[in-house]
Amino acid sequence: MTASRLLMLLSLLQTRPEWSGSELAQRLEVSPRTIRYDIDKLRSLGYPIQATMGAIGGYRLGAGGALPPLLLDDEEAVAVAVGLRTAAGGAVTGIEETSVRALVKLEQVLPSRLRNRVNALYSHTTPITAAGVPVDAETLTTISAACRDHHRLRFDYRTHAGDDQVRDTEPYRLVHMNRRWYLVAWDVHRQDWRTFRADRMTLRIPHGPRFTPRDSPPPDLVPRGVDTALFRYRAQVTVHAPADSIKVPSAVQVDPVDNDTCIVHAGADTPYQLALHILMLDADFTVDGSPELLEELRKISTRCAATDPTRPSP
């Protein structure tokens, strides 16, 4: 029971910058005296837990000078940190967000000597991953830590049109979707929720002040139509097929029109890629898009027609 409670206590200390003793006691359903005993036990195992001053006092998990020997030795800690960074880059599909959260917790308590080894090893390693937009692991952990600690995040942002902007945000969550990382945040100047692609962000250090978290953003802010909104080239495609028969990633918005027609909101970085996405819908369609997109569709049509051996020569 004690070991299980210690793990629960450690997990709580990693979710917030600071906890009061009474809050921890209430969450674990024990007395404040038991909390003090458990804190001392964790310290004896090497966890750098600091006591904070104030009217009610509290506890904070600090960056440590010694790694807890009962969990990981130095070599194991380096191996785990490098593995998490690699996984965060998308080498293993489906665990990217979990890897970033775990990496934030691990790097918080890694001694500086091990953190330097991890950085040196990772910077000289070239992982082979699936196609996607790379984002430095340090950027991801910094963003994730700002979300956790409720620190304003300031950064330079390159829009899909190529413009550079300075944004001041209250970060809410880091999301991985379709091989891309997105920050969901409250834009301070625009006074509204916004979604930002992490590969287009250049963080400004130090962070801004602490903020009080707002109510959660609309649940469909990221999944619904995020691909279309954040790509440079976009199109509305009227597809002559039922909406539930269209196979597209969850981030792509599909609006039913009637039982036999729907509208797909497509996006891509280039007109050629956008044309290919539309053709992969595998259904008859009409498209409302840019002249560049229409030109690419004509080129593809001409190439396909030229492969027909029964087509008469010009």
Side-chain angles (χ1 to χ4, degrees), residues 83-306:
L84 288 172
R85 285 192 171 197
T86 302
V92 183
T93 303
I95 65 169
E96 296 89 347
E97 287 187 64
T98 306
S99 300
V100 170
R101 291 198 302 270
L103 185 58
V104 170
K105 293 178 180 179
L106 180 60
E107 291 196 343
Q108 184 181 16
V109 296
L110 273 181
S112 59
R113 70 180 189 280
L114 296 187
R115 194 178 297 113
N116 291 336
R117 287 178 59 186
V118 170
N119 292 336
L121 179 58
Y122 189 78
S123 64
H124 291 84
T125 302
T126 304
I128 300 176
T129 62
V133 182
V135 182
D136 183 76
E138 184 175 354
T139 298
L140 297 177
T141 55
T142 300
I143 295 173
S144 184
C147 295
R148 179 198 62 194
D149 297 339
H150 308 311
H151 276 288
R152 289 249 292 262
L153 199 61
R154 296 175 294 189
F155 51 89
D156 298 303
Y157 190 69
R158 179 176 51 83
T159 68
H160 60 73
D163 301 325
D164 292 324
Q165 302 175 349
V166 178
R167 311 302 281 264
D168 189 356
T169 65
E170 297 176 359
Y172 172 72
R173 183 167 297 167
L174 192 62
V175 179
H176 186 268
M177 181 176 294
N178 298 338
R179 297 292 177 183
R180 285 187 173 87
W181 287 97
Y182 301 95
L183 169 66
V184 180
W186 177 265
D187 192 303
V188 174
H189 297 305
R190 290 162 177 78
Q191 289 294 294
D192 198 4
W193 290 102
R194 290 290 188 270
T195 304
F196 304 95
R197 265 177 52 174
D199 59 291
R200 294 176 176 170
M201 297 169 57
T202 302
L203 302 181
R204 293 193 171 201
I205 305 297
H207 300 317
R210 295 282 300 275
F211 65 89
T212 301
R214 300 174 182 272
D215 292 336
S216 300
D220 62 351
L221 180 65
V222 175
R224 185 175 172 82
V226 68
D227 277 352
T228 305
L230 298 179
F231 281 119
R232 182 174 183 180
Y233 293 94
R234 303 177 298 279
Q236 291 189 22
V237 186
T238 301
V239 182
H240 303 290
D244 56 7
S245 69
I246 301 300
K247 306 301 181 183
V248 293
S250 59
V252 178
Q253 182 176 344
V254 179
D255 295 329
V257 176
D258 53 40
N259 292 336
D260 301 312
T261 311
C262 62
I263 294 178
V264 176
H265 301 264
D269 288 325
T270 68
Y272 178 70
Q273 290 176 347
L274 181 53
L276 293 181
H277 291 339
I278 294 172
L279 292 173
M280 290 175 64
L281 294 173
D282 193 25
D284 294 336
F285 64 88
T286 54
V287 62
D288 179 15
S290 65
E292 295 90 346
L293 169 62
L294 299 179
E295 178 62 24
E296 290 297 335
L297 287 170
R298 279 193 288 269
K299 287 180 181 179
I300 294 173
S301 176
T302 301
R303 292 193 188 108
C304 292

